[in-house]
Amino acid sequence: MFMDMALSCDTIATSQSDTSPIRKPYYSPERTHNKFHITDSIGAAWLLGREFYLPQEFNDFLSDVKSLFWFSYRKGFKPIGGSGSLKSDAGWGCCYRCGQMLMGHTLIRNALGRDWKWRVGENGVEDMNPHYPLILSEFLDTNTACYSIHQLTCQAVDFGRDIGMLSKQ
């Protein structure tokens, strides 16, 4: 059954430019578009090995979702490959971004544990573990970030794939 959780994304404050792939979700009830809404469900919902009973544990479920890395297509970053013309991954970067999200979640879970959550303090500022920004910085869209789209596409070239293509044709 399709469930529209009505989540949108906001850029977090790790970079002032549009080149950061980092996003954090926020709940937006007006974006349900007449689809089944998760807050209407009753029963168990599973997220990454943890069971939540809805609607009673909806806020805990939402907190788990908000704590995940969300990477999206980006534009305006430095050209991939140095002098290349690719300054966006729109239309071809989805598998790279999914891989980044999986890797990011793995690193966060390993460093901070399954129970770590993105929390906003009383003053409205994110209350984050010092490991979080260090891990996050490895995914910025720069030539030097370890898990950037730039590094991933360079690795793909080493395996004989063209930048922007996931399979050899």
Side-chain angles (χ1 to χ4, degrees):
M1 174 185 301
F2 176 78
M3 295 190 315
D4 177 6
M5 294 176 10
L7 291 173
S8 275
C9 293
D10 265 346
T11 303
I12 68 169
T14 58
S15 173
Q16 296 299 323
S17 69
D18 190 39
T19 62
S20 169
I22 313 307
R23 304 253 185 202
K24 74 175 183 177
Y26 68 91
Y27 181 67
S28 175
E30 64 275 0
R31 293 185 49 129
T32 59
H33 305 292
N34 297 321
K35 296 176 185 167
F36 177 78
H37 195 276
I38 196 160
T39 57
D40 296 334
S41 65
I42 297 173
W46 288 87
L47 180 64
L48 300 171
R50 183 159 290 159
E51 185 176 20
F52 298 90
Y53 294 97
L54 301 177
Q56 300 91 333
E57 295 180 312
F58 176 74
N59 288 334
D60 294 333
F61 175 80
L62 189 59
S63 177
D64 249 26
V65 170
K66 286 181 178 182
S67 298
L68 298 173
F69 278 145
W70 292 74
F71 299 98
S72 181
Y73 293 127
R74 303 301 292 165
K75 63 182 178 181
F77 48 71
K78 289 188 178 183
I80 294 175
S83 61
S85 61
L86 283 176
K87 296 180 183 179
S88 171
D89 65 335
W92 60 268
C94 57
C95 288
Y96 290 106
R97 297 304 186 182
C98 288
Q100 286 178 315
M101 287 186 283
L102 288 169
M103 183 65 161
H105 177 70
T106 300
L107 293 172
I108 288 292
R109 193 163 177 179
N110 185 53
L112 306 179
R114 174 62 178 94
D115 293 327
W116 179 84
K117 302 284 183 292
W118 178 275
R119 302 216 192 282
V120 176
E122 292 178 18
N123 58 0
V125 176
E126 287 86 8
D127 179 24
M128 64 176 75
N129 183 294
H131 293 288
Y132 183 84
L134 295 174
I135 293 169
L136 193 60
S137 68
E138 294 298 338
F139 294 92
L140 295 175
D141 289 333
T142 66
N143 291 323
T144 57
C146 187
Y147 305 111
S148 69
I149 194 89
H150 297 71
Q151 293 293 332
L152 296 175
T153 53
C154 287
Q155 292 296 316
V157 168
D158 289 346
F159 285 97
R161 290 171 176 79
D162 293 331
I163 293 176
M165 303 298 289
L166 289 176
S167 62
K168 191 167 181 121
Q169 300 184 351

